[in-house]
Amino acid sequence: MSSTTGTLYRVTTFGESHGPGVGAVVDGCPAGLKIDTDRIQRQLTRRRPGQGKLSTPRQEADEFEILSGVYEGITLGTPIAFFVRNTNAKGNDYMRWADIYRPSHADYTYHIKYGYRTPLGGGRASVRETIGRVAAGELAAQILEEELGIRTVAWVNSIGKVDSPVMDQPPQTAEEVDQVEVRCPHLPSAEAMVKEIEEAKLDGNSVGGTIGVIVYNVPPGLGDPVFDKLEADLARACMSIPACKGFESGSGFSGTMLRGSEHNDIFEPQNPPPQPGHRPGIEGVPTVQTSSNRSGGIQGGISNGMPITMRLAFKPTATIKKRQDSVNEAGEATTLRAGGRHDPCVLPRAVPIVESVINLTLMDAYLRQRAARPEWWERFKTRS
Amino acid sequence: MSSTTGTLYRVTTFGESHGPGVGAVVDGCPAGLKIDTDRIQRQLTRRRPGQGKLSTPRQEADEFEILSGVYEGITLGTPIAFFVRNTNAKGNDYMRWADIYRPSHADYTYHIKYGYRTPLGGGRASVRETIGRVAAGELAAQILEEELGIRTVAWVNSIGKVDSPVMDQPPQTAEEVDQVEVRCPHLPSAEAMVKEIEEAKLDGNSVGGTIGVIVYNVPPGLGDPVFDKLEADLARACMSIPACKGFESGSGFSGTMLRGSEHNDIFEPQNPPPQPGHRPGIEGVPTVQTSSNRSGGIQGGISNGMPITMRLAFKPTATIKKRQDSVNEAGEATTLRAGGRHDPCVLPRAVPIVESVINLTLMDAYLRQRAARPEWWERFKTRS
Amino acid sequence: MSSTTGTLYRVTTFGESHGPGVGAVVDGCPAGLKIDTDRIQRQLTRRRPGQGKLSTPRQEADEFEILSGVYEGITLGTPIAFFVRNTNAKGNDYMRWADIYRPSHADYTYHIKYGYRTPLGGGRASVRETIGRVAAGELAAQILEEELGIRTVAWVNSIGKVDSPVMDQPPQTAEEVDQVEVRCPHLPSAEAMVKEIEEAKLDGNSVGGTIGVIVYNVPPGLGDPVFDKLEADLARACMSIPACKGFESGSGFSGTMLRGSEHNDIFEPQNPPPQPGHRPGIEGVPTVQTSSNRSGGIQGGISNGMPITMRLAFKPTATIKKRQDSVNEAGEATTLRAGGRHDPCVLPRAVPIVESVINLTLMDAYLRQRAARPEWWERFKTRS
Amino acid sequence: MSSTTGTLYRVTTFGESHGPGVGAVVDGCPAGLKIDTDRIQRQLTRRRPGQGKLSTPRQEADEFEILSGVYEGITLGTPIAFFVRNTNAKGNDYMRWADIYRPSHADYTYHIKYGYRTPLGGGRASVRETIGRVAAGELAAQILEEELGIRTVAWVNSIGKVDSPVMDQPPQTAEEVDQVEVRCPHLPSAEAMVKEIEEAKLDGNSVGGTIGVIVYNVPPGLGDPVFDKLEADLARACMSIPACKGFESGSGFSGTMLRGSEHNDIFEPQNPPPQPGHRPGIEGVPTVQTSSNRSGGIQGGISNGMPITMRLAFKPTATIKKRQDSVNEAGEATTLRAGGRHDPCVLPRAVPIVESVINLTLMDAYLRQRAARPEWWERFKTRS
């Protein structure tokens, strides 16, 4: 199911970076919703390369067309197909080193997997593939916000060795994040990050980093035991983003150094006013909260009503302008020096992508849960 | 698909910790294989609690019965059902605090999700559920080893703050790992880990840690673009293990601090003799290797022929013997002090579980790849 | 997904006719339901061979055990595993012609598919496999009846050339059907059917026939466009029953001979009192009924609120006691004369199997629809 | 999974009859195949309305664009998206009776399912949706023919009461079928059918009929036990075509009137030269054939090497020009007289649709089987 994900909110993406275009089909979007196309376009624009001096100069409008499933702005309950034409498909830049396997790219693995590859760009491994996910994910985000109040906010948490303290005081909105081009809402850190990126860029090099994410207002009860634990599905979604090499939920790796008594999140009756991001309970089951959130809002694979927190690792972009040794399709040693368009740092653009794949995952968990227990929906829906 | 995973090697687990028993159904196991039941029993025994002084005193034989799909030791191609009866189902220990939500357990989330819960043990959130996965996963391990030479080896890499250098010199076999009860093959580290666990135990506390994994002899070409990237499916599998809160592939979080030129794995022609764990290429596509393996054997979501490396974070066991504040089902503040059987540290027992879920993932990717491209199978199979 | 079916009410069956036993795992059964085990046992007993003089003398109690997912009679929301041990596994009867391919059986096709086969009985092709489906399907039947009022009633409509007029006046309940052993509620037809079966039995021969089905109280809105049309999913479910070779929905083949003006079902306002089996509309959408029901309760693949009607064709049992020519595993011409236990006519026993697979299909459609549109559930649920 | 079908050759269709267009995404098409776009266009053209005097006058070129997955005519192994723009989307014809539920159409069921509907045309219930399936299915047909020699041929077997003897002497090729516009290869029957259709047309009425299908050169071993029996999956595929109300495999309903001794297909050693459509056996398993083919090429849900035969029932087109009583969205009695474009008989156009959904089903079964048993592929592939 390589290009399809989800059980009920089922997304299929298609398209290569240098073919006619890229898109996605969403099957399972409920009927009768007024689709907010501006919102989707905004998120696509956040994802787009060429947004500032830190990014690749490639300019693509990434304007989407809806090919089906919507009539006069209202969803029909039938598959919604999004399509974005490739307008800047300059394969030529790539042709120069068409027969060389670029280090740490998917060139070699695609070749040996399929026995065939196109000399043009990254094909499905290109970050351009994520356009379909972002469109489908932002539609999910709209529904999650309207029906449950859920809001997902991601940001750049570190670039190279420049870390930030944002995990401890996460932003409330995308606007806070988008204040600066590097999308780190802690401005002193942001400044240092910009320096790091510019230095790498001047050197023809690239940098990696981490993305932080918080999801507000997640009602308790999303996710399923065993294979569809919410953490498991979120990890799969995040690790399917190009260049993502690590995923943490809640305390993650640092939590392994604590004792149980230090790590456990103590339940409290909800006498004090609910925290932002905490939701009321359902019939027969009390409302609780926890005094800390090292669980990252998920216990036993199921959301507990506290904000969901995650951290993702992105390796430095594989494409660099420095000369590198490599091997060509004939198996001979050679060297390459990449031309073409590429970012010294994909982290800022990864922010909307991360939000989108998380929203896809939550949307599917939401529909599964309201199938399993409509009474749950009765209690937690915010839509009147 | 909460309790089912896989597209072609499809595993469904069932069973609670305190019901009649636990098991799994494997649909899609190829026909005509001589099933190695000793091997499966051995892995189940490695997973079993009560194996030594570091572990819970709970004694369960975990002997499995095959209910279907095998005739005179040969697989029929039909579903193979594994079943292990619960013989030591003392729910009583748990009854004392049946109406209290144990901190950082799944008690509350199950209650609010289902609106119903059993006062006995952890239900599907119990690590006992993993028995079915271990049986199904070790059958996969046998097939992967016989048909491709693939071998997965996991070990305890750190306990609490006691880290080890094993990621840099990983063990070749499970025997190396099982030399010591704590399953860390670096003996000085193992000693310190034991101290850490015993100290926590004496204190009625618990510890977490990390598991390292290496997979040898993975042929290039496993995994699919986009949603079924090998890293994504492995992350999902690992994060679905109870208490797992973090996952890294290859360089993971530490790789985010390198520049692209430092991180990229340079391709080399395979003039020097193949490294252990490296496999020959297929028709028309050359054989390569990389001079480093920060990609952890996966590029673009597809195996590249180098060993696959991963690291997993496990939080400290939630059950501790210390008195803790909590809330009961009536929403009232209360305290609990756990009795019952529990481990101060689950890491050593997690080793075979991690191996098993990884083998399930690789097995499914293998069958998908040989469907997509039987020529690939022709070249990479080790079975004559 | 050979042995698994369903998206949300997901059933996996396992077991061979001559191994340890047969069973099913149901994943996705809602939590908190009081499971009616007597009802399930009753349906299993209806399916059981050896119930009368028309049937095989094989006596098996088919008593089921629940291995998981239920605590004190209440469903937990976790997988429910049903298991029935084989107590009468006399493979010996079969061994005599173990190496001969029985005509019109699955012996040859299993052999060439798997390259391996057991000489014992029919394996997964045996009608004994349906035990798991009947258990899972009767649990679905209970839920459908309690939550929506849906009731599925099947009967033997014809045996060989003996047809009955029951399709035009279908029975209301299983009790009407079970009045006579042959399960045809039109008694004069039933008598002639019994004669037909006994004649075949005396001759060492077998007979086929048709099963009629009606489903009462199906609310409008079940089923999905395109691939999961209700008729398509029902056809798949029915054609997956051993020996089923034909499926009709509504007017079926005979409807092809009418003109559109004769065939169309005219909508009527629901001024006259609702027909039995007709349900009220939902908010904003009026309640209608049709003056005829040639659509068989399904239009555009979606239920329209009228009773669903179907007819299924079952070929005569392949096993007969007459000597037949055949071929053995060496490819040589030979003859065989079957011993072993077998029915001259499986139709009466097929009645509960047909009901069960239909209920599995409706249950899954129901859960999918309440995920897509919880307001729909609000209006059509009969449970207060 | 309403709009997605298949496990390994996975097809998702999208699009409404009166939106921007219709299409399909095929995920899982093997890489490196030279795609025969002319062949696909030919099949789309066969499906197209307005091909002759028997059909609707609607003229649409149905020219397709490939949006992804193909580079210089070669498949990349990535999703192939087909798209056909709607060029003749005259919704106006429909607007006149926008608020009336057309009898035996999907208008009412869509409305009550989704709580929302477009006044334009049939949406996803329109036969125009099948364009995506035909494109995806003809690509499958090409692969099945090149790799296994499989060829699927469908024809119009009866129209209204005019039956033909073609099931007994099925055509070998589509060319034979396409000799006459009505697509019945028995010319005397074809003449009578044309009369039947013209008579209905003059009367503002419509006719139904049956489609016959034969699949040549199917190797033994396709299909799986239990839920994915080949007959079950074929039935689902066929019953998902608009207006299809019945499905038979092999002897179907007429076979129910035979005794077992009359119905069983006797195995024969393959001494006489192989019949057309019969394939050689695999290693260790002999080659057989049957002296008759009442099983329709499928035994135990698995192909046996004989041609697969099926018959499908299509109800008369629901849209007629006669005035009919009905009900409007307010629940009031009214009458309607359809304008708009529509066929008095869809059977000839259904021929390529039937072939396509069958090829989709066989393609998926083929990929599943070569995953399960690559040795099988080694023996049965016809590609050198």
Side-chain angles (χ1 to χ4, degrees):
Chain A
M1 296 206 293
S2 162
S3 293
T4 299
T5 196
T7 299
L8 293 178
Y9 189 85
R10 183 172 280 267
V11 176
T12 301
T13 76
F14 60 90
E16 280 78 30
S17 50
H18 291 83
V22 295
V25 181
V26 178
D27 196 17
C29 180
L33 305 171
K34 185 152 183 43
I35 191 172
D36 186 344
T37 51
D38 289 347
R39 181 177 176 147
I40 294 169
Q41 186 62 63
R42 235 169 11 242
Q43 190 77 333
L44 283 174
T45 301
R46 289 179 85 207
R47 193 217 69 91
R48 192 165 55 96
Q51 301 169 59
K53 60 183 176 169
L54 297 177
S55 178
T56 157
R58 180 174 182 166
Q59 286 291 353
E60 299 194 82
D62 288 354
E63 280 171 21
F64 72 99
E65 183 185 9
I66 292 179
L67 301 180
S68 67
V70 177
Y71 178 69
E72 296 185 346
I74 307 294
T75 60
L76 294 170
T78 56
I80 300 172
F82 295 100
F83 187 56
V84 173
R85 278 210 184 265
N86 292 334
T87 54
N88 191 1
K90 285 203 232 147
N92 294 356
D93 290 348
Y94 290 80
M95 293 296 274
R96 270 179 278 164
W97 27 275
D99 69 335
I100 306 178
Y101 300 127
R102 288 170 295 166
S104 287
H105 269 271
D107 296 342
Y108 175 69
T109 55
Y110 271 54
H111 201 191
I112 200 135
K113 178 179 190 62
Y114 294 116
Y116 185 83
R117 72 184 189 102
T118 156
L120 301 177
R124 292 289 280 167
S126 162
V127 74
R128 191 159 174 79
E129 175 277 331
T130 60
I131 284 179
R133 306 198 222 178
V134 169
E138 193 62 17
L139 174 56
Q142 178 197 334
I143 300 169
L144 289 168
E145 184 163 356
E146 286 175 8
E147 303 203 356
L148 297 172
I150 287 176
R151 288 184 306 104
T152 300
V153 182
W155 64 90
V156 173
N157 200 65
S158 69
I159 292 288
K161 286 166 187 155
V162 181
D163 204 358
S164 81
V166 185
M167 285 304 303
D168 296 327
Q169 286 197 303
Q172 292 288 325
T173 64
E175 286 67 40
E176 287 176 54
V177 172
D178 284 357
Q179 283 176 84
V180 289
E181 190 191 339
V182 76
R183 289 199 171 116
C184 174
H186 184 257
L187 300 187
S189 303
E191 259 179 72
M193 288 173 182
V194 169
K195 241 178 249 167
E196 186 81 2
I197 297 172
E198 285 178 338
E199 200 182 292
K201 192 178 176 181
L202 272 175
D203 189 35
N205 218 327
S206 66
V207 287
T210 61
I211 301 273
V213 196
I214 188 164
V215 192
Y216 293 105
N217 283 330
V218 183
L222 294 185
D224 285 285
V226 188
F227 298 116
D228 281 335
K229 283 183 170 154
L230 199 51
E231 279 153 311
D233 283 347
L234 287 168
R236 176 174 178 255
C238 292
M239 294 290 295
S240 76
I241 300 173
C244 184
K245 301 292 281 187
F247 175 88
E248 285 183 335
S249 165
S251 65
F253 281 91
S254 67
T256 66
M257 289 185 238
L258 301 176
R259 291 274 160 98
S261 61
E262 298 164 322
H263 190 274
N264 281 354
D265 294 316
I266 299 306
F267 287 115
E268 296 176 342
Q270 207 172 25
N271 301 332
Q275 294 189 348
H278 189 72
R279 305 292 307 271
I282 64 163
E283 164 193 9
V285 183
T287 294
V288 304
Q289 61 190 28
T290 57
S291 57
S292 54
N293 188 19
R294 281 177 285 266
S295 299
I298 303 177
Q299 291 175 331
I302 299 166
S303 65
N304 70 354
M306 299 295 289
I308 292 178
T309 59
M310 290 163 279
R311 205 165 64 103
L312 285 67
F314 284 80
K315 67 171 188 176
T317 321
T319 306
I320 56 177
K321 299 218 174 186
K322 288 176 173 304
R323 184 166 298 278
Q324 294 176 92
D325 290 330
S326 193
V327 167
N328 65 16
E329 292 189 6
E332 300 156 339
T334 180
T335 68
L336 92 162
R337 194 169 160 185
R341 305 158 300 195
H342 57 83
D343 278 335
C345 178
V346 295
L347 273 284
R349 290 176 56 202
V351 163
I353 301 170
V354 169
E355 291 173 354
S356 293
V357 300
I358 287 169
N359 284 317
L360 288 180
T361 305
L362 293 172
M363 182 69 193
D364 199 57
Y366 164 45
L367 293 183
R368 293 199 320 260
Q369 175 63 6
R370 82 181 190 187
R373 193 173 168 78
E375 302 90 339
W376 177 95
W377 178 76
E378 286 294 298
R379 297 298 297 269
F380 287 109
K381 68 178 174 185
T382 51
R383 199 172 50 155
S384 59
Chain B
M1 299 208 292
S2 162
S3 294
T4 299
T5 198
T7 299
L8 292 179
Y9 189 85
R10 184 171 280 267
V11 175
T12 301
T13 76
F14 60 91
E16 281 78 30
S17 51
H18 290 82
V22 295
V25 181
V26 178
D27 196 17
C29 180
L33 304 171
K34 184 152 186 45
I35 192 172
D36 185 344
T37 51
D38 289 347
R39 180 177 177 146
I40 294 170
Q41 187 61 65
R42 237 173 6 247
Q43 189 78 333
L44 284 174
T45 301
R46 291 179 84 206
R47 192 217 70 91
R48 192 166 54 95
Q51 301 170 58
K53 60 183 178 169
L54 297 177
S55 177
T56 160
R58 180 174 183 167
Q59 285 291 353
E60 299 193 83
D62 288 356
E63 281 171 19
F64 72 98
E65 183 184 8
I66 292 179
L67 301 179
S68 66
V70 177
Y71 178 69
E72 296 185 345
I74 307 292
T75 60
L76 293 170
T78 58
I80 300 172
F82 295 100
F83 186 55
V84 173
R85 280 214 181 262
N86 291 334
T87 54
N88 190 2
K90 286 203 233 149
N92 295 356
D93 290 347
Y94 291 82
M95 294 296 275
R96 271 179 278 164
W97 27 274
D99 70 335
I100 307 179
Y101 300 127
R102 290 169 294 165
S104 288
H105 269 270
D107 296 344
Y108 174 69
T109 55
Y110 270 54
H111 201 191
I112 201 136
K113 177 178 190 64
Y114 295 116
Y116 185 81
R117 73 186 187 99
T118 158
L120 301 176
R124 291 290 279 167
S126 162
V127 74
R128 192 159 173 80
E129 175 277 331
T130 60
I131 283 179
R133 304 198 223 177
V134 168
E138 193 62 17
L139 174 55
Q142 178 197 333
I143 300 169
L144 289 169
E145 184 164 354
E146 286 175 8
E147 303 203 355
L148 297 172
I150 288 176
R151 286 182 307 104
T152 300
V153 181
W155 64 91
V156 173
N157 200 66
S158 69
I159 292 288
K161 286 167 186 153
V162 181
D163 204 356
S164 81
V166 185
M167 286 303 304
D168 296 328
Q169 285 196 303
Q172 293 288 324
T173 65
E175 287 66 39
E176 287 176 55
V177 172
D178 284 358
Q179 282 177 84
V180 289
E181 191 192 339
V182 77
R183 290 199 172 116
C184 175
H186 183 256
L187 300 187
S189 304
E191 260 181 71
M193 289 174 182
V194 169
K195 241 178 248 166
E196 186 81 1
I197 296 171
E198 285 177 338
E199 198 182 290
K201 192 180 178 183
L202 272 175
D203 189 35
N205 218 328
S206 65
V207 287
T210 59
I211 300 273
V213 196
I214 189 164
V215 192
Y216 294 106
N217 282 330
V218 182
L222 294 184
D224 285 285
V226 187
F227 298 116
D228 280 336
K229 282 182 172 154
L230 198 52
E231 280 153 311
D233 283 347
L234 288 168
R236 176 175 178 254
C238 292
M239 295 290 296
S240 76
I241 301 173
C244 184
K245 300 292 279 187
F247 175 87
E248 286 183 335
S249 165
S251 64
F253 282 91
S254 67
T256 67
M257 289 185 238
L258 301 176
R259 291 273 161 98
S261 61
E262 297 164 322
H263 191 275
N264 281 355
D265 293 316
I266 299 307
F267 288 115
E268 296 176 342
Q270 209 174 24
N271 301 331
Q275 293 189 348
H278 190 73
R279 304 294 306 274
I282 65 163
E283 161 192 11
V285 183
T287 296
V288 305
Q289 62 190 28
T290 57
S291 56
S292 54
N293 188 18
R294 281 176 285 267
S295 299
I298 303 177
Q299 291 175 330
I302 298 165
S303 65
N304 70 354
M306 299 296 289
I308 293 178
T309 60
M310 290 163 278
R311 204 166 65 103
L312 286 68
F314 285 81
K315 67 172 187 173
T317 321
T319 307
I320 57 177
K321 298 218 174 186
K322 289 176 171 304
R323 184 166 298 279
Q324 296 176 91
D325 291 330
S326 193
V327 168
N328 65 15
E329 292 190 5
E332 299 155 342
T334 181
T335 67
L336 92 162
R337 193 169 157 184
R341 306 158 299 195
H342 55 85
D343 278 335
C345 178
V346 296
L347 274 283
R349 290 177 57 203
V351 163
I353 301 172
V354 169
E355 291 173 353
S356 292
V357 301
I358 287 168
N359 284 317
L360 288 179
T361 305
L362 294 173
M363 182 68 193
D364 199 56
Y366 164 44
L367 293 183
R368 293 200 318 263
Q369 175 64 8
R370 81 181 190 187
R373 192 172 169 79
E375 302 89 339
W376 177 94
W377 178 77
E378 286 293 298
R379 297 299 294 268
F380 287 109
K381 66 178 175 185
T382 53
R383 197 171 53 155
S384 59
Chain C
M1 300 206 291
S2 162
S3 294
T4 299
T5 197
T7 299
L8 291 179
Y9 189 84
R10 184 172 280 266
V11 176
T12 302
T13 76
F14 61 89
E16 280 78 30
S17 51
H18 289 82
V22 294
V25 181
V26 178
D27 195 18
C29 181
L33 305 171
K34 185 155 183 41
I35 191 170
D36 186 343
T37 52
D38 290 347
R39 179 177 179 147
I40 294 170
Q41 187 61 62
R42 243 181 352 255
Q43 189 78 333
L44 284 174
T45 301
R46 291 179 84 207
R47 192 217 70 90
R48 193 166 54 96
Q51 301 170 60
K53 61 182 177 168
L54 297 177
S55 179
T56 159
R58 179 174 183 166
Q59 286 291 351
E60 299 193 82
D62 287 355
E63 280 169 22
F64 72 100
E65 183 184 8
I66 292 179
L67 301 180
S68 66
V70 177
Y71 177 70
E72 295 185 346
I74 307 292
T75 60
L76 294 170
T78 57
I80 300 173
F82 296 100
F83 186 56
V84 174
R85 277 213 183 264
N86 292 335
T87 54
N88 191 1
K90 285 203 234 148
N92 295 355
D93 290 348
Y94 290 81
M95 293 297 273
R96 271 180 278 164
W97 27 275
D99 69 335
I100 306 179
Y101 300 127
R102 289 170 295 165
S104 287
H105 268 272
D107 296 342
Y108 175 69
T109 54
Y110 271 54
H111 201 190
I112 200 136
K113 178 179 189 63
Y114 295 116
Y116 186 81
R117 73 186 190 100
T118 157
L120 300 176
R124 292 289 279 167
S126 163
V127 74
R128 192 158 174 79
E129 175 277 332
T130 61
I131 284 180
R133 304 197 223 178
V134 168
E138 194 61 18
L139 174 55
Q142 178 197 334
I143 300 169
L144 289 169
E145 183 162 356
E146 287 175 8
E147 303 204 355
L148 297 171
I150 288 176
R151 286 182 309 103
T152 301
V153 182
W155 64 91
V156 173
N157 200 65
S158 69
I159 292 287
K161 287 166 186 154
V162 181
D163 204 357
S164 81
V166 185
M167 286 302 305
D168 296 329
Q169 285 197 302
Q172 292 288 325
T173 65
E175 286 67 40
E176 288 177 55
V177 172
D178 284 357
Q179 283 177 84
V180 289
E181 190 192 340
V182 76
R183 291 201 170 113
C184 175
H186 183 255
L187 300 188
S189 304
E191 260 181 73
M193 288 174 182
V194 169
K195 239 177 253 165
E196 187 81 2
I197 296 172
E198 285 177 339
E199 199 182 292
K201 192 179 177 182
L202 272 175
D203 189 35
N205 217 328
S206 65
V207 288
T210 60
I211 301 273
V213 196
I214 189 163
V215 192
Y216 293 105
N217 282 331
V218 182
L222 294 185
D224 284 284
V226 188
F227 298 115
D228 281 334
K229 282 184 171 152
L230 199 51
E231 281 154 309
D233 283 347
L234 288 167
R236 176 174 178 255
C238 292
M239 294 289 297
S240 76
I241 300 173
C244 184
K245 300 294 279 188
F247 175 88
E248 285 183 336
S249 164
S251 64
F253 282 91
S254 67
T256 66
M257 290 186 238
L258 301 176
R259 292 274 162 98
S261 61
E262 298 164 321
H263 190 274
N264 281 354
D265 293 316
I266 299 305
F267 287 115
E268 296 176 343
Q270 208 173 25
N271 300 331
Q275 295 189 349
H278 190 73
R279 308 291 307 275
I282 65 164
E283 160 194 10
V285 183
T287 295
V288 305
Q289 61 190 27
T290 58
S291 57
S292 53
N293 189 18
R294 281 176 285 267
S295 299
I298 302 177
Q299 291 175 332
I302 298 165
S303 64
N304 70 354
M306 300 295 290
I308 292 178
T309 60
M310 290 162 279
R311 205 165 65 101
L312 285 66
F314 285 81
K315 67 170 188 176
T317 321
T319 307
I320 56 178
K321 299 218 175 186
K322 289 177 173 304
R323 183 168 298 278
Q324 296 176 91
D325 290 330
S326 194
V327 168
N328 64 15
E329 292 189 6
E332 300 156 342
T334 180
T335 69
L336 92 163
R337 193 168 159 185
R341 306 157 301 196
H342 56 84
D343 278 337
C345 179
V346 296
L347 274 284
R349 290 176 57 202
V351 163
I353 301 172
V354 169
E355 291 172 354
S356 293
V357 300
I358 287 169
N359 284 317
L360 288 180
T361 306
L362 294 172
M363 182 69 193
D364 198 57
Y366 165 44
L367 293 184
R368 292 200 318 261
Q369 175 63 7
R370 82 181 190 186
R373 192 172 167 80
E375 303 91 339
W376 177 94
W377 178 77
E378 287 294 296
R379 298 297 297 270
F380 287 109
K381 68 178 173 183
T382 52
R383 198 171 51 153
S384 59
Chain D
M1 299 207 291
S2 162
S3 294
T4 299
T5 197
T7 299
L8 292 179
Y9 190 85
R10 184 171 280 267
V11 175
T12 302
T13 76
F14 60 90
E16 281 78 31
S17 51
H18 290 82
V22 294
V25 181
V26 178
D27 196 16
C29 180
L33 304 171
K34 183 149 187 47
I35 192 171
D36 185 344
T37 52
D38 289 347
R39 181 177 177 148
I40 294 170
Q41 187 61 63
R42 238 173 5 246
Q43 189 78 331
L44 283 174
T45 301
R46 290 178 85 206
R47 193 216 70 90
R48 194 165 54 96
Q51 302 170 58
K53 61 184 177 168
L54 298 176
S55 178
T56 159
R58 180 174 185 167
Q59 286 291 351
E60 299 193 83
D62 288 355
E63 280 170 21
F64 72 99
E65 183 184 9
I66 292 179
L67 301 180
S68 66
V70 177
Y71 177 70
E72 296 185 344
I74 308 292
T75 61
L76 294 170
T78 58
I80 300 172
F82 295 100
F83 186 56
V84 173
R85 280 216 179 260
N86 292 334
T87 53
N88 191 2
K90 286 203 233 147
N92 295 355
D93 290 347
Y94 290 81
M95 295 295 274
R96 272 179 276 164
W97 27 275
D99 70 334
I100 307 179
Y101 300 128
R102 289 169 295 165
S104 287
H105 269 272
D107 296 343
Y108 175 68
T109 54
Y110 270 54
H111 202 192
I112 200 134
K113 178 178 191 64
Y114 295 116
Y116 185 82
R117 73 184 188 101
T118 156
L120 300 178
R124 291 290 280 167
S126 162
V127 73
R128 191 157 174 80
E129 175 277 331
T130 60
I131 284 179
R133 306 198 222 177
V134 169
E138 193 62 18
L139 173 56
Q142 179 197 333
I143 300 169
L144 289 168
E145 184 164 355
E146 287 175 6
E147 302 203 354
L148 297 172
I150 288 176
R151 286 182 308 105
T152 300
V153 182
W155 64 91
V156 173
N157 200 65
S158 69
I159 292 288
K161 286 166 187 156
V162 181
D163 205 357
S164 81
V166 186
M167 286 303 302
D168 297 327
Q169 286 196 302
Q172 292 288 326
T173 64
E175 285 67 40
E176 287 177 55
V177 172
D178 284 358
Q179 282 178 83
V180 289
E181 190 190 340
V182 77
R183 290 202 171 114
C184 174
H186 183 256
L187 299 186
S189 304
E191 261 181 70
M193 289 174 182
V194 170
K195 241 177 249 166
E196 187 80 2
I197 297 172
E198 285 177 339
E199 199 182 293
K201 192 179 178 183
L202 272 174
D203 190 34
N205 218 327
S206 66
V207 287
T210 60
I211 301 273
V213 197
I214 188 163
V215 192
Y216 294 105
N217 282 331
V218 182
L222 294 185
D224 284 284
V226 188
F227 298 115
D228 280 335
K229 282 183 172 151
L230 199 52
E231 279 154 311
D233 283 348
L234 288 168
R236 176 174 179 256
C238 291
M239 295 289 296
S240 75
I241 300 173
C244 184
K245 299 293 280 187
F247 175 87
E248 286 183 335
S249 164
S251 64
F253 281 90
S254 66
T256 67
M257 289 184 237
L258 301 176
R259 292 273 161 98
S261 61
E262 298 164 321
H263 191 274
N264 280 355
D265 294 316
I266 299 306
F267 287 115
E268 297 176 342
Q270 208 172 24
N271 300 331
Q275 292 189 352
H278 190 71
R279 304 294 305 273
I282 65 164
E283 162 192 11
V285 183
T287 294
V288 305
Q289 61 189 28
T290 58
S291 57
S292 53
N293 188 18
R294 280 176 285 266
S295 299
I298 302 177
Q299 291 175 332
I302 298 166
S303 64
N304 70 354
M306 300 295 290
I308 293 179
T309 60
M310 290 163 278
R311 205 166 65 102
L312 285 67
F314 284 81
K315 67 171 188 175
T317 320
T319 306
I320 56 177
K321 299 218 175 187
K322 289 177 172 303
R323 184 167 297 279
Q324 295 176 93
D325 290 330
S326 194
V327 168
N328 65 17
E329 291 189 8
E332 301 156 342
T334 182
T335 67
L336 93 163
R337 193 167 158 186
R341 304 157 300 192
H342 56 85
D343 277 335
C345 179
V346 296
L347 273 285
R349 290 177 56 204
V351 163
I353 301 172
V354 169
E355 291 172 353
S356 293
V357 299
I358 287 169
N359 284 317
L360 288 180
T361 306
L362 294 173
M363 183 69 193
D364 199 55
Y366 163 46
L367 293 184
R368 294 200 318 261
Q369 175 64 6
R370 79 181 192 187
R373 191 172 169 78
E375 302 89 341
W376 176 94
W377 178 77
E378 286 293 298
R379 296 299 296 269
F380 287 108
K381 67 178 174 182
T382 51
R383 197 170 50 155
S384 57

